Structure formats: C-alpha cells, structure tokens
Amino acid sequence: MIDFFNTDMFKQASLTDAVRRIPNKYNKIGSMGLFPARGVRHRTVGVEELNEVARLLPTLPWGAPGTLGSTDKRGAYAFQIPHIPHVDSVLPDDVQSVREFGSEDQLKTAAGVVADKLAKMRAQIDLSIEYMRATALAGVCKDGANATLYNYYSVFGVTKKEVDFKLGTTTTDVRGKCLEVKRDIEKKARGAVITGIGCLCSATFYDKFVSHAEVKDAFKYYQTTQPLSGDYRAGFTFAGITFIEYDATVTLSDGATTADMITSGDAIFYPLGTPVGVTVFAPANYMETVNEIGQEYYAKSEPRKFGKGVDIEVQSNPLPILLRPDLVVRGYSTN
C-alpha cells in the first residue's frame, strides 16, 4: 500500500517550491514596484539614513580661508520583522472517495488536495502582504488584525503632506491642487529619479475627481482616445498625474470586520520611476532555514499519529518599509 502522506510532495523543499509557483491573485501594489522584495538573514533589519546637505557657497577675498564643509546627518533605525504562519491539514477523508470538482467520475488525488490547500493558503498570505503594503504606502503599516506595526512618519520624523482637493466646490482649482502635489514630491526628491507621479485612489475620491467641473471635459476627451469598452479607472492622466482606482475591501483576521485597501475618500500620490520602500522577508523558523536568505513563502508538513494525515503550514515573514514617506502625499476632499 502506498503511504502518500510520506511521499516527496510533503517535504519542505517540495511544498515551498509548489507555493512559489502558484500565481499571485492580489498584488496591485506589489506589482507596481513601489516595495520591491528583498530577503534578509535576520528577524530584525536595520535602516540607515543619510541626509546630505547641499548649500550655496559665498565668494571670498583672494587668500581668505575657505568655508568649512558641513557633516551630513545620519540616522539609524531598527525594525522587527513580523511572522505570518497559516496552518491547515490534509486528512484521508479529504481524498477518500471524494469526487474531483467539475467531474462525474474522476476522484481526487493526494497531489490535487495538496495543491488546492496550498493555493488557498497562499492566497490568504498574499492578501495579507498586499494589505500591509497598502497601509505602509499610506504611512502606517498594519497587519491582518488591523494592528499598527509601524508609523513611518513618526519613525523617520517626517511631517505628512496632505492636500484637500475640495472636490465638492465647482470653482476649486483642481489642476493647481495637482501641481501642488507634484511640486512637493519633486522638491523633496533629493536625487531620486522621478519619471512621473501616480495616484492610487478610493472609488469615492475617483468618482468625485472625474466628475468635477474642471476635470469632466478632460475626462471626456480622454475617453475618446481610448477603446470604447475600456475601463478608465485603470489609469486616467490629468495634470501629469495618473489616477488609478483601487476599490478593494478585505476581511480582517477576526472574520467579521472589513477594511479598505485605500481608505474611503482618500488618494495616495507617489513618484514613478523610483521605489518608495522595500519589503524585507526574514527566513522561516525552521532548522533548515536558519541564517539563510529569507524567501517570500515557506511551506512544511508534519505527519499526524498513526498515519491519519498531515498538518501543513505556509508562512511568510514580511515587513514593507516606507523608506521615503516624504515622497508620499495624501489627497482627500472635505466636501
């Protein structure tokens, strides 16, 4: 008799490789390159900040001593990387006489059950990481319980730039508001290569924005340059800023409370062409991964007594860090 619970498919390397191959279904912010992934060897990561000082120099009489160079200010910060484990099990009853979904005469296989479980488990981890990235982009990184991990504006001592677009007022200079955002980001770039400005906005903000008197005509003209069946929420450019609606609501870990990826009524402006942060991944707490470079996902199994199945764990140990909170601007409308 074949003991499929003791086959190679349940080994750590095989399970981890299988999880990595599963397509990511919830990754809008992750796919934009704002928080590129980087593996680290430890559970704590340090960030060093160097504030270079550049100023004009005066002219002096010939032979006079030169002005003294100033010392650049440095800062060092340490962040504890959180741990996200998720467990499930594969039991004989999951396989025995269970019909394959959509089939009349095909029974489930052990490999099929494992693949289904891993896909569901990874989807929940992906959703959790995306929510962490979305909240980090807004400045306050939160976990799946909506608990605050880090307020990056407080950590780095940066004052958050916020712009009230007043979209309920027909005479509001919306183009001027956009230019205020762009100028603030460009002024604070400090050498960062910026190729444009992007904006992720809630459905509420997007609808008010495109229906404003100053924007409406530009939006209509934009529609004439796009396919008639196109979804214009995927990217509408006005005043040099590309507005993208991100209308996603997630269920928190308590199973009852919901939260928005982008706070309702808000918009988040960020530079294009340069990352504003990084997502660090710590190694799993397994003996075989100690001091190794962290990966985005790990999976491992443990047999139950008397061969009555296996418990499967998928884990990720991520922390999105907003390294440049000064380059992110919050937009909103008070009316």
Side-chain angles (χ1 to χ4, degrees), residues 68-101:
L68 293 175
S70 59
T71 302
D72 296 330
K73 295 182 179 180
R74 289 178 176 268
Y77 310 89
F79 299 95
Q80 187 75 31
I81 300 175
H83 177 52
I84 306 178
H86 184 46
V87 295
D88 204 335
S89 59
V90 178
L91 307 177
D93 287 347
D94 293 328
V95 184
Q96 178 64 48
S97 302
V98 177
R99 180 177 54 83
E100 188 70 59
F101 180 78

Side-chain angles (χ1 to χ4, degrees), residues 302-317:
E302 183 175 76
R304 293 191 171 188
K305 289 183 178 180
F306 308 114
K308 291 187 177 181
V310 294
D311 294 318
I312 296 177
E313 179 186 79
V314 173
Q315 68 168 268
S316 184
N317 309 295

Side-chain angles (χ1 to χ4, degrees), residues 55 57 60 65-71:
R55 60 186 180 188
L57 299 175
L60 297 172
T67 54
L68 293 175
S70 59
T71 302

